[in-house]
Amino acid sequence: MLDLQQLRKDLPTVVAGLARRHHIFDEAQFRALEDERKKLQMHTEELQAKRNAASKQIGMMKGKGDDTTAVMADVAGLGENLKANEIALSELQEKLNAFLRQIPNIPRAEVPAGKSEHDNVKVRQWGTPKVFNFTVKDHVDIGEALGGIDFATAAKLSGARFSVLRGGVARLHRALAQFMLNTHTLEHGYTEVYVPYMVNDYCIDGVTNLEKFRDDGFKIEGRDMYLIPTAEVPVTNFVRDEIVDAKQLPMKYACHSPCFRSEAGSYGKDTRGMIRQHQFDKVEVVQMVAPENSVAAHEELVLHAETILQKLDLPYRTMLLCTGDMGFASAKTYDLEVWLPAQNAYREISSCSLYEAFQARRMMARCKNAQGKTEYLHTVNGSGLAVGRTLVAILENYQNADGSVTIPSALVPYMGGITKLAA
RNA sequence: GGAGAGGUGGCAGAGUGGUCGAAUGCACCAGACUCGAAAUCUGGCGUACGGUUUACCGUACCGUGAGUUCGAAUCUCACCCUCUCCGCCA
């Protein structure tokens, strides 16, 4: 949610900022709502003040045993008028609130303008794609040949976009999550957390737009609960409705969880394999920070995610997303894209975003700064990394001519010393 | 699923229709005392919104929503959540 004060004081800047991400801000509607709100609020509060004064007077008079009929007659007609105004005001504030909540975040100045992923800017690149002296297979062929990935059984159980993992591949999947979690907690200073995988709609609306999310998420039948699309949702909401002391910041959390997404808008995209599934595991890193530190925290967090890829020796590049490719709540996002030999392309494996106070305003997450003043804290998060896609990257990048897959040395301890997966 | 108890400010905890946004204690902040600290004393100390804009004023908020009333933390109804016991269960 944007800062209402800023909208009132400096609307042109907001409108221009949103235009960069191709969001047309309805100035006429906003002004109309605001003018109406102002009128109604002032009038309503005036009536309330009148009523309060009269009631107080009646109270005092009764205490002294005086006759109150005159004062009571005076406020007799007030009730209904006030009621009507209060209802109208709350409806209007509801409308204004809904209007505000559907506006995306304003991209930071350094975010490049653009329409789609083609306009994203590469900020750095790491590693060199390996040259294979045989025809590379994709992770589906590799995994199935190893008896480790079974889409047929998954389809029988749950339909398309699910997978069953077996044996060494299943273990590799588990090893990856452990490895990521250990790296972030032991080397990067994050606290490990375990969280609910079902959350109420306040949590969803706290980090993104609930209306937009509805098509994208899995709702629990008969309850106002959703399966989490990412651990970002429960973890970020730790600070919802809280005022934390500045001394408690930064809060840094790492969380391994499954993620559930309907992938409604991606028919026909990545239908083969494990790239795009309804259920996938992810290790998420989340930071709640003081406003003045959020930009640095974001840069640091991206490096934390990159560390995982470097330790696994997987070539990747870091992309700064353009205004048109960013998520609803983000002010700035870096995507990490890992090299997938079978696709001969870099594919997204992590997304790291800086939200500034956008989520905090939605959540009412504040901190008391050193001066004792209450202000919205800032949130930053990213995948560190998507476990399923990392598994895909390892199978493809570490494949051998004989169909076996070498275990990256960083993972060997997590694999009980196994150095290779073979049929 | 059944029975009971309870939800008040950062925490604890008073308050059962009227100057209650709310006693008191703890915590916290500032000052005094002290060489310094502790103890003690004095003062301050909720959030949001609005109007004016250093100071100030108004409004709302005692789990949530509705109702009764001139007036609700307090009375009525519904819902939510927490705790205890029983049942079931990993």
Side-chain angles (χ1 to χ4, degrees):
Chain A
M1 186 157 62
L2 298 180
D3 180 7
L4 187 54
Q5 304 302 336
Q6 192 193 3
L7 285 170
R8 287 178 186 147
K9 285 184 195 140
D10 191 14
L11 194 54
T13 304
V14 175
V15 172
L18 289 169
R20 292 188 69 225
R21 56 138 71 210
H22 317 294
H23 178 92
I24 296 152
F25 182 90
D26 192 341
E27 287 187 66
Q29 196 192 352
F30 174 70
R31 287 228 162 81
L33 284 170
E34 254 298 279
D35 288 349
E36 184 65 15
R37 187 229 92 227
K38 193 164 176 169
K39 248 196 314 200
L40 248 179
Q41 183 166 349
M42 286 173 71
H43 184 53
T44 304
E45 290 185 357
E46 195 182 308
L47 290 176
Q48 287 170 326
K50 206 181 205 174
R51 180 205 55 196
N52 291 347
S55 294
K56 202 165 250 185
Q57 196 187 349
I58 291 168
M60 286 194 288
M61 289 172 82
K62 287 212 163 168
K64 282 187 282 185
D66 293 349
D67 179 45
T68 59
T69 46
V71 191
M72 281 171 81
D74 206 35
V75 286
L78 205 67
E80 279 177 42
N81 190 8
L82 178 56
K83 190 94 213 157
N85 272 282
E86 282 176 341
I87 290 170
L89 178 61
S90 81
E91 279 173 357
L92 195 64
Q93 278 171 333
E94 202 56 49
K95 227 188 259 180
L96 191 60
N97 192 33
F99 175 82
L100 277 177
R101 282 188 167 261
Q102 53 81 40
I103 302 168
N105 205 354
I106 300 169
R108 289 178 62 86
E110 69 269 26
V111 173
K115 270 219 120 32
S116 71
E117 57 183 301
H118 304 294
D119 302 316
N120 296 342
V121 174
K122 183 169 81 179
V123 293
R124 57 185 167 262
Q125 182 158 354
W126 187 92
T128 314
K130 198 159 133 189
V131 180
F132 292 90
N133 57 7
F134 56 93
T135 308
V136 295
K137 294 189 282 189
D138 77 354
H139 69 282
V140 178
D141 289 340
I142 298 165
E144 287 184 338
L146 290 170
I149 303 184
D150 181 354
F151 289 108
T153 302
K156 184 167 70 180
L157 305 179
S158 309
R161 292 205 192 280
F162 288 94
S163 51
V164 165
L165 304 181
R166 281 200 179 87
V169 175
R171 181 168 190 177
L172 181 58
H173 185 260
R174 170 164 61 93
L176 277 168
Q178 303 296 313
F179 162 70
M180 292 174 191
L181 221 35
N182 278 359
T183 304
H184 294 311
T185 56
L186 300 176
E187 296 176 28
H188 298 152
Y190 291 83
T191 300
E192 180 171 353
V193 288
Y194 169 82
V195 299
Y197 299 153
M198 292 185 242
V199 294
N200 58 39
D201 37 16
Y202 298 107
C203 288
I204 303 283
D205 204 54
V207 301
T208 186
N209 184 281
L210 180 62
E211 296 309 315
K212 277 183 188 296
F213 173 80
R214 281 193 210 282
D215 298 335
D216 225 28
F218 286 109
K219 191 169 192 303
I220 311 295
E221 178 79 32
R223 289 173 183 263
D224 285 332
M225 299 249 263
Y226 293 87
L227 291 175
I228 58 171
T230 156
E232 166 193 352
V233 176
V235 175
T236 307
N237 274 280
F238 282 9
V239 291
R240 176 153 54 91
D241 293 323
E242 299 279 341
I243 302 176
V244 303
D245 200 288
K247 280 175 271 187
Q248 290 175 265
L249 300 176
M251 295 175 165
K252 298 170 71 178
Y253 295 111
C255 184
H256 169 219
S257 83
C259 306
F260 303 94
R261 299 186 184 178
S262 76
E263 296 296 346
S266 56
Y267 299 111
K269 225 192 260 179
D270 300 312
T271 48
R272 179 179 163 85
M274 285 182 67
I275 297 287
R276 195 175 296 275
Q277 304 254 282
H278 288 311
Q279 171 187 323
F280 63 94
D281 276 29
K282 180 159 60 66
V283 172
E284 181 80 0
V285 282
V286 178
Q287 293 194 30
M288 294 82 168
V289 301
E292 62 273 20
N293 299 330
S294 65
V295 172
H298 182 224
E299 295 296 328
E300 173 200 81
L301 185 140
V302 178
L303 296 179
H304 292 157
E306 290 183 30
T307 300
I308 302 294
L309 288 166
Q310 292 179 14
K311 282 174 180 272
L312 294 173
D313 202 14
L314 291 168
Y316 70 90
R317 60 184 192 184
T318 304
M319 308 295 288
L320 175 57
L321 298 198
C322 73
T323 54
D325 201 28
M326 292 197 316
F328 174 80
S330 177
K332 182 181 183 180
T333 299
Y334 290 112
D335 271 10
L336 303 187
E337 297 180 342
V338 70
W339 176 252
L340 293 185
Q343 295 196 6
N344 197 39
Y346 287 95
R347 292 299 307 266
E348 179 187 340
I349 197 167
S350 170
S351 192
C352 302
S353 296
L354 166 62
Y355 301 95
E356 296 177 334
F358 190 84
Q359 293 182 325
R361 279 189 218 101
R362 300 177 84 86
M363 293 190 296
M364 286 298 281
R366 291 148 296 168
C367 60
K368 244 190 200 352
N369 64 22
Q371 289 76 45
K373 206 157 151 41
T374 303
E375 59 185 343
Y376 290 106
L377 51 76
H378 282 196
T379 55
V380 180
N381 69 49
S383 2
L385 311 158
V387 177
R389 287 189 181 181
T390 310
L391 180 75
V392 167
I394 287 175
L395 293 178
E396 295 196 2
N397 282 279
Y398 281 85
Q399 64 180 297
N400 301 309
D402 63 1
S404 67
V405 173
T406 303
I407 302 294
S409 56
L411 292 177
V412 171
Y414 294 87
M415 293 293 287
I418 295 169
T419 57
K420 193 185 265 192
L421 293 182

